[in-house]
Amino acid sequence: ARPPTGSTANTGRTVCACFSVGEKTILNAIREQGLDSVEAIGTCLKAGTGCGSCVPEVRRMLQHAEGLHSVS
């Protein structure tokens, strides 16, 4: 897995300060690459692999994305 390609200018609000990973970057990776765990996001984007303080928020983003996916 690799970070989504495209403009890095609009990554959204910073979720992972350790690695400067934005909300939109994480959501796009979940959607486009089918990431389904905090570990998968960490492997792909490094989010959640530094201090770990963003892990609860990354987990919430995953749960929200799964909820959207199951509705469609």
Side-chain angles (χ1 to χ4, degrees):
R2 57 186 165 62
T5 57
S7 173
T8 57
N10 190 12
T11 61
R13 176 182 58 81
T14 299
V15 174
C16 175
C18 294
F19 295 104
S20 300
V21 183
E23 180 178 38
K24 289 181 182 179
T25 301
I26 294 170
L27 291 173
N28 286 339
I30 291 169
R31 183 176 59 251
E32 294 171 7
Q33 298 184 40
L35 303 182
D36 60 359
S37 68
V38 173
E39 293 78 16
I41 290 170
T43 299
C44 180
L45 304 173
K46 295 189 178 179
T49 63
C51 74
S53 68
C54 66
V55 169
E57 184 165 4
V58 171
R59 189 171 290 121
R60 281 192 297 275
M61 292 171 71
L62 272 167
Q63 291 169 343
H64 178 72
E66 288 172 4
L68 292 177
H69 181 66
S70 64
V71 170
S72 57

